[in-house]
Amino acid sequence: VQTSWTLGQIAVLAGGQLQGDPGIVIRGIAPLQTARPGDLTWVTSAHFAKLLAHSEASAALIGPDLSAGDLPVVVCPHPDRSLARVLSAMEPPVPHPPPGVDPRAIVPEDVTLGEDVAIGPLAVIGSRVRIGARTRIHAGVFIGPEVEIGPDCVIWPQAVIRERCVLGARVVLHPHATIGADGFGYNFIDGHYERIPQIGRVRIEDDVEVGANSCIDRAKCGETVIGRGSKIDNLVQIGHNCKLGPHTCLAAQVGIAGSATLGSHALFGGKVGVRDNLVIGDRVQVAACTCLAEDVPDDSVRIGVPGIDKMQFLRELGALRRLPETTRLVRILLKRVEQLEAADHKTTR
Amino acid sequence: VQTSWTLGQIAVLAGGQLQGDPGIVIRGIAPLQTARPGDLTWVTSAHFAKLLAHSEASAALIGPDLSAGDLPVVVCPHPDRSLARVLSAMEPPVPHPPPGVDPRAIVPEDVTLGEDVAIGPLAVIGSRVRIGARTRIHAGVFIGPEVEIGPDCVIWPQAVIRERCVLGARVVLHPHATIGADGFGYNFIDGHYERIPQIGRVRIEDDVEVGANSCIDRAKCGETVIGRGSKIDNLVQIGHNCKLGPHTCLAAQVGIAGSATLGSHALFGGKVGVRDNLVIGDRVQVAACTCLAEDVPDDSVRIGVPGIDKMQFLRELGALRRLPETTRLVRILLKRVEQLEAADHKTTR
Amino acid sequence: VQTSWTLGQIAVLAGGQLQGDPGIVIRGIAPLQTARPGDLTWVTSAHFAKLLAHSEASAALIGPDLSAGDLPVVVCPHPDRSLARVLSAMEPPVPHPPPGVDPRAIVPEDVTLGEDVAIGPLAVIGSRVRIGARTRIHAGVFIGPEVEIGPDCVIWPQAVIRERCVLGARVVLHPHATIGADGFGYNFIDGHYERIPQIGRVRIEDDVEVGANSCIDRAKCGETVIGRGSKIDNLVQIGHNCKLGPHTCLAAQVGIAGSATLGSHALFGGKVGVRDNLVIGDRVQVAACTCLAEDVPDDSVRIGVPGIDKMQFLRELGALRRLPETTRLVRILLKRVEQLEAADHKTTR
């Protein structure tokens, strides 16, 4: 494992232009506030570039229009992408179970395993499960019967995938993710709830990531679908029969109620809630803590409880901030109008 | 496993009246939007009934006052209940561990197991645990010492039940549910928090369902109680010493703080929050994303942050939507009143 | 295990002054509403003290200025602290795995275990893990390679700690806690998301408690830090690179987005959300369901969506409650001003 790099090597990794001594030795990478001598850091805005003067970092990745004073820098057209490449080079090996089936895993005879599948200890695999090449199943994962998993997936420890669900290629499930638990559906009959069977499944398309302790419920019938390339953070709830378009991005603690549909490239902040059966368009952006209660057309930006157009929200918020003063003014106006009316009465009598 | 049904058989299952060819073959069931030839679908409102004309479904369950054009239908007095019966008939077998104790489970000698209890591999059962007849404990479940579980329960993989908790009959715990973790209680003394022991337990009554990754904390002393027939969705938090009445229904990501009491038949949308120590009456309905900060009497409907009466909320929301215009109007009125006052001053001088 | 105490013994445990018969036998402890004969209860406010007359409890711990009628009481200067001491004395033994490594645990040769470490069955420990003296690792816990855990910790069943994370002394992780999953970071390039490697770790300082099903993500680089003495409830999300100061207290379902910084002694109600990169000062108090969107200075109290100063919030809320009436009044004023203007026009013509 490489543990130091010259700044010249960093510039090549980053795909940027070096300004400074290429021989400077870099041993790690750290955010601006905590960088120490030997560390590379990065800034992407003029605000933070000013703080570089006070940083102990030995060098920085910076955007093309930023200045870093005397600090050696690598100027990058896309510093965020350059940062990802440098992080990737510096990443210590991520521990996965080695290819093969750990003898302490529980794997029935009738499973189909692709080349170099890795299954860790105490994983429990159901009958007729199919797992694609190079997929790594960590310790303690539970996979129900007839689940299909594509190649190059990573299933982190203690994730659960219930029967018949389907995962595409390069899917990542983080610890304690729950895929395919029963949808939440009951009929209320004679004062009590009767369960509606949830006989469908979950289908997760290629390149999806599902965060730790997140839940995606199986469909009442048919499929709950997570579109390809979607990224789902921790503690997110996706109800039964939801359809997420490709490349949706949901931050932590989002909740999508049953049968809601999200278009492609939806971008939701943390804790957003979506009512059941809504239809949300493509490229919709929703601010954190918003609660959507109505359908949303393509290319909209929503915020608030209930969620409304952002511009309208900001106008209302400004007016709300002045509301105590406005209310006081209305009371004063009432008195002044009463005085005018009294005077008017006298004048015209 | 039966994989096709005639529409005549479906009508019998559904308990409805057939309008169309009883020999039509049904191979599956699907929501209106995704139904294909061979599928049965269902509609329960006039809005969706109109869309049946564009559906590829071969037949539909419909409510008594709906029209479906030429499509063969089964007219049902309660289409939701009929749907549940048809789903139940079409449900593939749900995989549970077979009756008996898997040799790879960890089950001490002193447990008491009812008839046909099923315990899956790698389940860990504590001392003096009692489990009722036909209850199925899936792989990887943890059950602490002296837990009591009634008959006909299903504990899905990797649920955790800590020591001394009690579950009634027909209780379902979904994956990663956590029952009986310590309540969140500390005394703040001299600048730091000191733990208050949480020596009580959780008692879950008959016919309760607890969703995936939901948490019900044990009581500081006495019991946290989930009343019979209650249904709790995923990622829900129930704090220590809460008492939920029978037949409460909590959607995903609800959070109930410590020592709150909910009456019977409470119906909460997703993400509702309830402050500690509140008393919520019977048959209270709370809209999604509401934050309750006060006691709520029986039969109330609450919405908002903080939650208020729904009618009042709608009045305020309407006024809030017009607030920017109202604020502008107040400023204009001020000027016009000033002009009137100036004119009045001239007139009366 | 002791199962009864005299009220005299209770008074000594509580450190309070007995008023009543020291020989009264106490067999348990219960909240006011559910206490039965033989139970001790407690009250800390005049409101609840009034209800003691209707309680079946045999005795009560009460605060110094409260009256309990005829009920035998132990008057305590700090009844909450006294209650904790009595609960501690009455607490049944908490079941932990016995010291030593369970033969069914998976523990490689190269781990370093302190004195009397306890590792339960089916725990999976990674290479080069170091665990301090007397720490108890419950069944089914997963600990990745090179994790360091201090002495006297308790890791409850099925918690997951990924590689290289560090826990101090006396840390408690509740079931299904996920420590060190990847931070949620992507670059959006050409219509899809590319993962940013998350190469840092999580560092949890001494005396921290992390609730059931809570998630603390590893840093993009460097560390996500939970300051000493902090208490985190269930279902909480802490994003990558967050820094929590010492003695922060976060109630259930709080979510802190990436790179946010909290000062010492922050006290957050349930469901609070914090935007990424914010700086929250020391001793900040935030009401439940608040969504912070701006930095917060020391000693502030915030409430609302978005969160604002509490006094301002209460003024706005009062005005909002009257807003429908205020709006109606403005419309009436408009008409009356129009009439005055018409009259004025006539008069001055």
Side-chain angles (χ1 to χ4, degrees):
Chain A
V1 182
Q2 187 170 357
T3 58
S4 72
W5 296 260
T6 65
L7 193 55
Q9 290 174 316
I10 295 287
V12 171
L13 281 170
Q17 193 183 345
L18 175 62
Q19 295 178 0
D21 176 359
I24 288 170
V25 174
I26 298 297
R27 301 187 181 282
I29 183 164
L32 188 54
Q33 293 80 354
T34 57
R36 303 293 310 275
D39 281 340
L40 179 73
T41 191
W42 69 94
V43 293
T44 58
S45 73
H47 170 70
F48 286 109
K50 280 181 208 156
L51 303 177
L52 276 174
H54 308 289
S55 169
E56 297 183 26
S58 294
L61 302 178
I62 65 171
D65 302 319
L66 300 176
S67 156
D70 295 338
L71 195 73
V73 292
V74 178
V75 182
C76 307
H78 300 287
D80 283 333
R81 302 183 195 181
S82 297
L83 173 62
R85 285 194 293 267
V86 173
L87 286 168
S88 187
M90 290 188 174
E91 188 168 24
V94 178
H96 293 299
V101 176
D102 189 286
R104 295 154 298 190
I106 295 180
V107 182
E109 296 274 320
D110 58 2
V111 303
T112 304
L113 304 183
E115 197 178 359
D116 286 336
V117 163
I119 300 185
L122 310 184
V124 176
I125 315 291
S127 272
R128 297 178 297 285
V129 165
R130 306 171 69 90
I131 302 178
R134 294 168 304 282
T135 283
R136 287 153 289 186
I137 311 285
H138 275 260
V141 165
F142 175 91
I143 300 179
E146 300 180 39
V147 165
E148 294 180 35
I149 302 181
D152 298 302
C153 295
V154 177
I155 315 296
W156 285 99
Q158 300 183 9
V160 166
I161 310 171
R162 271 188 47 190
E163 68 274 14
R164 292 186 282 116
C165 292
V166 177
L167 279 65
R170 296 172 301 282
V171 170
V172 177
L173 301 187
H174 288 283
H176 301 125
T178 304
I179 309 299
D182 288 347
F184 192 67
Y186 303 90
N187 287 317
F188 189 69
I189 301 175
D190 299 338
H192 69 281
Y193 291 95
E194 292 200 359
R195 181 175 173 276
I196 301 171
Q198 305 288 316
I199 78 173
R201 63 180 187 177
V202 175
R203 183 162 54 83
I204 297 180
E205 297 184 349
D206 296 347
D207 297 300
V208 167
E209 196 155 338
V210 179
N213 296 67
S214 286
C215 302
I216 304 176
D217 279 352
R218 69 194 310 110
K220 184 161 70 175
C221 57
E223 294 180 334
T224 304
V225 180
I226 310 298
R228 73 192 149 79
S230 291
K231 307 299 181 187
I232 296 174
D233 200 352
N234 300 341
L235 294 163
V236 169
Q237 158 70 2
I238 310 282
H240 56 166
N241 288 90
C242 285
K243 312 281 184 206
L244 272 61
H247 309 296
T248 58
C249 182
L250 307 182
Q253 296 174 322
V254 163
I256 316 281
S259 298
T261 301
L262 272 62
S264 75
H265 295 98
L267 182 57
F268 283 24
K271 289 181 181 290
V272 169
V274 178
R275 219 180 58 184
D276 55 300
N277 288 290
L278 294 190
V279 177
I280 312 296
D282 293 337
R283 296 168 304 280
V284 169
Q285 298 191 19
V286 183
C289 300
T290 290
C291 189
L292 294 179
E294 295 181 338
D295 290 352
V296 179
D298 292 351
D299 300 297
S300 307
V301 180
R302 287 287 180 274
I303 179 169
V305 184
I308 56 175
D309 173 73
K310 188 181 177 183
M311 287 302 111
Q312 168 71 3
F313 176 85
L314 292 175
R315 276 192 296 270
E316 289 183 13
L317 190 65
L320 187 58
R321 288 296 101 97
R322 291 194 302 273
L323 183 57
E325 176 57 23
T326 302
T327 305
R328 201 180 64 88
L329 190 52
V330 169
R331 279 199 299 264
I332 291 168
L333 278 175
L334 175 62
K335 282 191 189 151
R336 287 162 71 172
V337 166
E338 282 168 353
Q339 286 175 352
L340 283 166
E341 285 169 340
D344 180 59
H345 187 66
K346 238 188 282 175
T347 308
T348 56
R349 190 186 293 193
Chain B
V1 182
Q2 188 171 356
T3 60
S4 72
W5 297 260
T6 64
L7 193 54
Q9 290 174 317
I10 295 287
V12 172
L13 281 170
Q17 193 183 345
L18 175 61
Q19 296 178 359
D21 176 0
I24 289 170
V25 174
I26 298 296
R27 300 188 181 283
I29 184 164
L32 189 54
Q33 294 80 354
T34 58
R36 304 292 310 276
D39 280 341
L40 179 74
T41 190
W42 69 93
V43 293
T44 58
S45 73
H47 171 69
F48 285 109
K50 281 181 208 155
L51 303 176
L52 277 175
H54 308 288
S55 170
E56 298 184 26
S58 293
L61 303 178
I62 64 170
D65 302 319
L66 301 176
S67 156
D70 296 338
L71 194 73
V73 293
V74 178
V75 183
C76 306
H78 300 289
D80 284 333
R81 302 184 196 180
S82 296
L83 173 63
R85 285 194 292 266
V86 173
L87 287 167
S88 187
M90 291 188 173
E91 189 168 24
V94 177
H96 293 299
V101 176
D102 189 285
R104 295 154 297 191
I106 295 180
V107 182
E109 298 273 319
D110 57 3
V111 303
T112 304
L113 304 183
E115 198 179 356
D116 286 335
V117 163
I119 300 185
L122 309 183
V124 176
I125 315 292
S127 272
R128 295 177 299 286
V129 165
R130 306 170 70 90
I131 302 178
R134 295 169 304 281
T135 283
R136 288 153 289 187
I137 311 285
H138 275 261
V141 165
F142 176 91
I143 300 179
E146 299 179 40
V147 165
E148 293 180 35
I149 302 181
D152 299 299
C153 295
V154 177
I155 315 295
W156 285 99
Q158 299 181 12
V160 165
I161 310 170
R162 271 187 47 190
E163 69 274 13
R164 290 186 284 115
C165 293
V166 177
L167 278 66
R170 297 172 301 281
V171 170
V172 177
L173 302 187
H174 288 283
H176 301 126
T178 305
I179 308 300
D182 288 346
F184 192 67
Y186 302 90
N187 287 318
F188 189 68
I189 302 175
D190 300 335
H192 70 281
Y193 291 97
E194 293 201 358
R195 180 175 174 276
I196 301 171
Q198 305 289 315
I199 76 172
R201 64 179 186 177
V202 175
R203 181 162 55 84
I204 297 179
E205 298 183 349
D206 296 347
D207 298 298
V208 167
E209 197 155 338
V210 179
N213 296 68
S214 285
C215 302
I216 304 175
D217 279 353
R218 69 194 310 109
K220 183 160 71 175
C221 58
E223 296 181 333
T224 304
V225 180
I226 311 297
R228 72 191 151 80
S230 292
K231 307 299 180 185
I232 296 174
D233 201 351
N234 301 340
L235 293 162
V236 168
Q237 158 71 2
I238 309 282
H240 56 167
N241 288 89
C242 285
K243 312 280 185 208
L244 271 61
H247 309 295
T248 59
C249 181
L250 308 182
Q253 295 174 323
V254 162
I256 314 282
S259 297
T261 302
L262 272 62
S264 74
H265 295 96
L267 181 57
F268 283 24
K271 288 182 182 290
V272 168
V274 177
R275 219 179 59 184
D276 56 299
N277 288 293
L278 294 190
V279 177
I280 312 297
D282 293 337
R283 297 169 303 280
V284 169
Q285 298 192 18
V286 183
C289 300
T290 291
C291 189
L292 294 179
E294 294 181 339
D295 290 352
V296 179
D298 292 350
D299 300 297
S300 307
V301 180
R302 287 287 180 273
I303 179 168
V305 185
I308 57 175
D309 173 74
K310 189 183 176 183
M311 288 300 110
Q312 168 72 2
F313 177 84
L314 291 175
R315 276 192 296 270
E316 289 183 13
L317 190 65
L320 187 59
R321 287 296 101 96
R322 292 192 303 274
L323 183 58
E325 175 58 22
T326 302
T327 306
R328 201 181 65 89
L329 189 54
V330 169
R331 279 199 299 264
I332 291 168
L333 278 175
L334 176 62
K335 281 190 189 150
R336 287 162 72 173
V337 166
E338 282 169 352
Q339 286 175 351
L340 282 167
E341 287 169 339
D344 180 61
H345 187 65
K346 239 190 281 173
T347 307
T348 57
R349 191 188 291 189
Chain C
V1 182
Q2 187 171 356
T3 58
S4 72
W5 296 260
T6 64
L7 192 55
Q9 288 174 317
I10 295 289
V12 172
L13 281 169
Q17 193 184 346
L18 175 62
Q19 297 178 358
D21 176 1
I24 289 171
V25 173
I26 299 296
R27 300 188 181 282
I29 184 164
L32 187 55
Q33 293 82 354
T34 58
R36 304 294 310 276
D39 281 340
L40 179 74
T41 191
W42 69 95
V43 294
T44 58
S45 73
H47 170 69
F48 286 108
K50 281 181 208 157
L51 303 176
L52 277 175
H54 308 290
S55 170
E56 297 183 25
S58 294
L61 302 179
I62 64 171
D65 302 320
L66 301 176
S67 156
D70 295 338
L71 195 73
V73 292
V74 178
V75 182
C76 307
H78 301 287
D80 285 333
R81 303 184 196 180
S82 296
L83 174 62
R85 284 194 293 266
V86 174
L87 286 168
S88 187
M90 291 188 173
E91 189 168 25
V94 178
H96 293 297
V101 177
D102 189 285
R104 295 154 298 192
I106 295 181
V107 182
E109 297 275 319
D110 58 2
V111 303
T112 304
L113 304 183
E115 197 178 359
D116 286 334
V117 163
I119 300 185
L122 310 182
V124 176
I125 315 290
S127 272
R128 295 178 300 287
V129 165
R130 306 171 69 90
I131 302 177
R134 295 168 303 281
T135 283
R136 287 152 290 185
I137 312 285
H138 276 261
V141 165
F142 176 89
I143 300 179
E146 300 180 40
V147 165
E148 293 181 35
I149 301 180
D152 298 301
C153 295
V154 176
I155 315 296
W156 285 99
Q158 300 183 10
V160 166
I161 310 170
R162 270 188 48 190
E163 69 273 13
R164 291 185 284 114
C165 292
V166 177
L167 279 65
R170 296 171 302 281
V171 170
V172 177
L173 302 187
H174 289 283
H176 303 125
T178 304
I179 308 299
D182 288 347
F184 193 67
Y186 303 90
N187 287 318
F188 189 68
I189 302 175
D190 300 337
H192 69 280
Y193 291 96
E194 293 200 0
R195 180 174 173 276
I196 301 171
Q198 304 289 316
I199 76 173
R201 64 179 187 178
V202 175
R203 181 163 55 83
I204 296 179
E205 297 183 349
D206 296 348
D207 297 299
V208 167
E209 197 155 338
V210 180
N213 295 67
S214 286
C215 302
I216 304 175
D217 279 354
R218 68 194 310 110
K220 183 161 72 175
C221 58
E223 295 180 333
T224 304
V225 180
I226 310 298
R228 72 192 150 79
S230 292
K231 306 299 180 185
I232 296 175
D233 201 352
N234 300 341
L235 293 161
V236 169
Q237 157 71 2
I238 310 283
H240 56 167
N241 288 90
C242 284
K243 312 280 184 208
L244 272 61
H247 309 296
T248 60
C249 181
L250 308 182
Q253 297 174 321
V254 163
I256 315 282
S259 298
T261 301
L262 272 62
S264 75
H265 295 96
L267 181 57
F268 283 24
K271 289 182 182 288
V272 168
V274 178
R275 220 179 59 184
D276 56 298
N277 288 292
L278 293 190
V279 177
I280 312 297
D282 293 336
R283 296 169 303 280
V284 169
Q285 298 191 20
V286 183
C289 301
T290 291
C291 189
L292 294 179
E294 295 180 338
D295 290 352
V296 179
D298 292 351
D299 300 297
S300 307
V301 180
R302 287 287 181 271
I303 180 169
V305 184
I308 57 175
D309 173 74
K310 187 181 177 183
M311 288 300 110
Q312 168 71 3
F313 176 85
L314 291 175
R315 276 192 296 268
E316 290 184 12
L317 190 65
L320 187 59
R321 288 295 102 96
R322 291 193 304 274
L323 183 57
E325 175 58 22
T326 302
T327 306
R328 201 180 65 89
L329 190 53
V330 169
R331 278 199 300 266
I332 291 169
L333 279 175
L334 176 61
K335 281 192 190 150
R336 287 162 71 171
V337 166
E338 282 168 356
Q339 286 175 350
L340 283 166
E341 286 169 338
D344 182 59
H345 187 64
K346 240 189 279 175
T347 308
T348 57
R349 192 190 291 192

